[in-house]
Amino acid sequence: MYRTNTCGELRLEHCGREVTLAGWVQRVRDLGAMTFVDLRDRYGITQIVADENTPDEIRNQVNALGREFVVQVIGLVRERASKNKNIPTGEIELEVRSLRVLSASVVPPFTIQNDTDGGDDLRMKYRYLDLRRAAVQQNLFLRARMAHVTRGYLADHGFIETETPVLIKSTPEGARDFVVPSRMNPGEFYALPQSPQIFKQLLMVAGFDKYFQIVKCFRDEDLRADRQPEFTQIDCEMSFVEQEDVLNMFEGLTRHLLKEIKGVEVDTFPRMPYSEAMEQYGSDKPDIRFDMKLHEITVLAQGKGFPVFDTAEYIGGICAEGCGEYTRKQLDELTEWVKRPQIGARGLVYIKCGTDGTVKSSVDKFYSEDELKNIADEVGAKPGDLVLILSGDKDHTRNALGLLRLEMANKLGLRPKDTFRPLWVVDFPLLEWNEETKRYFAMHHPFTSPKPEDIVLLDSDPGKVRANAYDLVINGVEIGGGSVRIFDSGLQARMFEVLGFTPEQAEAQFGFLMNAFRYGAPPHAGIAFGFDRLVSLFAGLDSIRDVIAFPKNNSGRDVMNDSPSPISLEQLEELNLVIKLPE
Ligand code: ASP
């Protein structure tokens, strides 16, 4: 038997017992008269001690241990003289009676403890060592618990977990596909799924009624903090349902997770149409933990001779509560911030509302005090508040104001990580115009159903058609999205036409789906949650990397095994990826 107990288990009540522990040496402290060793495993840390009563031979063995050696220790549990209140095993220690080194370690490149001295790159390269750190392990244990609770909930609600293939047909669905050459079919390729979308719809045609899968998806996109080339979804589909049924089911799952995992009870999730989200928050994923809504002041602010405003399509402001005393320096910093390319505003106008009722602005030249007060009123500012105003074209300016809103909320501490405010954003537009290619794209995906009352607009004004599509947003993070699907092959064909596919292209790409719909397709709808994002939100982290055991870096590389990497000429030839010239 390698061990009788774990390193996190022993307490005062175990004193006097002989036990066997096994684990990694975190630290050795040789104090002359005594040597202390911190022995670590997944469950905790136990202090091992060798003192003047320990036979020399064992004492020498203990003193020869190095960091990250794997050892087995037999010893007697005893009460510590000086207790450590910070760890659960802090009241006891193990008086070593025998010791066996199971595996030695070279000196690790960084310390394996929560406040490690290792930088990001080094920890990625030695991810298996980084994964030894309790803080990192906790994130992955949280992930495992969340997957377990999710499975339990969905199984209890009649969902069938079904695997769908990983080698599939390449179909343009939004992002770029990763492709895999087929050795047996020269010149042909599989794609890795961006999502199991079509398969789950086919499972509905097959009568599965309720499907789910916790599944890897692959998208060849540029990476950000909340994106990885491979990521995990909680993917679901349901038959004979309407939007309302899907929202209720997955609101249920989210509440269940919040309760089970975080011990948090939340009210019914509010619903907000996409148009309102854009108008009031400048974002389709509003953080509603705080107010600070956008207010349009175009009419109020124009016609007073300020050229920047007079030529703007949209002028809007937000009110930063209690910031009326901001200094010149703070305002300059904010101005620089909005001018960053990621925000892209050309300048920032402010109105400082003094606690004495006076107002001061950066555009005093053009506006009377009353006019400025009117604007401040419109934006909801009170004495002591600061009004921040941006102008320009509508979409861009709203977006920039939305980002400024988040920035101000960060400064004001209005985004506490332990508060969860979920929200459904509904009634997304069906289509999105792309100026470059001069055509419409599906905002969600091509299988999303238009709202029945908007179908007439498909011919006259496609941009106005709303979809039966919805997103779950928590604290400003898009956690999931889905839609009611088209289940009529005629409407699906029409949709492909609107998206610029010729009937032949549609047939070649999606013929099998439209064909399946001709054999009796049930009405169906579904949703997918970004599981990595959900876990990182629950863990209070900003990046999904920390909740993935072996993530890629920002260039999509696994720096631990150095992939992607070249393959041999033989492999290339076998895959028909090089043309062999005759000798
Ligand atoms: N397949 C969709 C996605 O990956 C989700 C859905 O519509 O169910 O975003």
Side-chain angles (χ1 to χ4, degrees), residues 18 346 397:
E18 188 176 272
R346 265 178 299 165
T397 308

Side-chain angles (χ1 to χ4, degrees), residues 148-160 210 212 249 256:
H148 183 78
V149 172
T150 299
R151 284 208 165 86
Y153 184 90
L154 292 175
D156 285 350
H157 286 79
F159 285 78
I160 302 292
K210 289 191 191 116
F212 90 100
M249 179 66 73
H256 182 67

Side-chain angles (χ1 to χ4, degrees), residues 159-379:
F159 285 78
I160 302 292
E161 187 167 8
T162 310
E163 287 166 276
T164 52
V166 172
L167 296 175
I168 68 166
K169 183 182 173 66
S170 179
T171 51
E173 201 190 305
R176 252 174 247 114
D177 280 333
F178 281 102
V179 294
V180 181
S182 165
R183 180 182 57 80
M184 289 195 282
N185 302 277
E188 297 190 310
F189 296 81
Y190 301 102
L192 303 181
Q194 294 185 27
S195 84
Q197 185 62 35
I198 294 179
F199 290 100
K200 66 175 173 174
Q201 292 192 239
L202 291 173
L203 288 172
M204 295 303 105
V205 175
F208 275 44
D209 202 65
K210 289 191 191 116
Y211 140 95
F212 90 100
Q213 183 179 191
I214 298 184
V215 61
K216 269 290 171 72
C217 302
F218 306 85
R219 294 183 191 172
D220 189 3
E221 292 178 300
D222 296 335
L223 305 180
R224 297 196 222 120
D226 60 352
R227 279 209 191 138
Q228 284 273 312
E230 52 177 302
F231 59 97
T232 305
Q233 288 190 340
I234 306 172
D235 191 45
C236 307
E237 198 73 11
M238 304 165 77
S239 288
F240 303 110
V241 291
E242 294 172 342
Q243 170 165 319
E244 200 56 29
D245 302 302
V246 179
L247 299 194
N248 286 335
M249 179 66 73
F250 289 90
E251 183 161 327
L253 169 64
T254 310
R255 293 163 69 106
H256 182 67
L257 281 164
L258 278 167
K259 175 110 196 295
E260 287 293 305
I261 308 278
K262 302 299 290 182
V264 170
E265 304 236 20
V266 283
D267 290 338
T268 308
F269 301 179
R271 315 254 170 108
M272 189 186 293
Y274 169 87
S275 57
E276 187 180 319
M278 298 309 284
E279 218 165 273
Q280 299 191 346
Y281 299 90
S283 164
D284 61 0
K285 40 178 191 292
D287 184 346
I288 56 164
R289 278 174 296 180
F290 61 99
D291 206 30
M292 213 194 286
K293 291 194 186 98
L294 277 52
H295 294 270
E296 175 161 7
I297 52 163
T298 315
V299 173
L300 265 184
Q302 279 183 336
K304 313 288 181 207
F306 181 39
V308 176
F309 280 3
D310 286 349
T311 54
E313 182 193 359
Y314 169 94
I315 311 169
I318 55 171
C319 166
E321 246 176 72
C323 297
E325 300 293 313
Y326 257 35
T327 60
R328 175 88 248 161
K329 184 161 168 273
Q330 283 173 302
L331 290 163
D332 286 348
E333 274 168 12
L334 272 185
T335 308
E336 283 315 306
W337 189 88
V338 299
K339 285 184 176 169
R340 292 153 40 141
Q342 303 93 302
I343 316 298
R346 265 178 299 165
L348 176 70
V349 169
Y350 64 81
I351 304 174
K352 287 162 71 158
C353 304
T355 39
D356 56 359
T358 59
V359 290
K360 262 182 79 174
S361 85
S362 50
V363 287
D364 282 348
K365 215 162 77 185
F366 301 101
Y367 297 88
S368 70
E369 183 148 345
D370 276 349
E371 284 164 347
L372 291 173
K373 277 188 181 156
N374 274 345
I375 294 176
D377 274 351
E378 183 66 30
V379 179

Side-chain angles (χ1 to χ4, degrees), residues 99-131:
L99 177 111
R100 184 152 71 106
V101 174
L102 301 173
S103 171
S105 169
V106 293
V107 177
F110 50 86
T111 54
I112 314 290
Q113 52 198 38
N114 284 349
D115 49 348
T116 176
D117 55 359
D120 262 0
D121 293 345
L122 202 58
R123 286 189 287 117
M124 285 282 267
K125 183 162 161 52
Y126 296 92
R127 182 66 171 166
Y128 45 89
L129 296 181
D130 201 26
L131 285 172

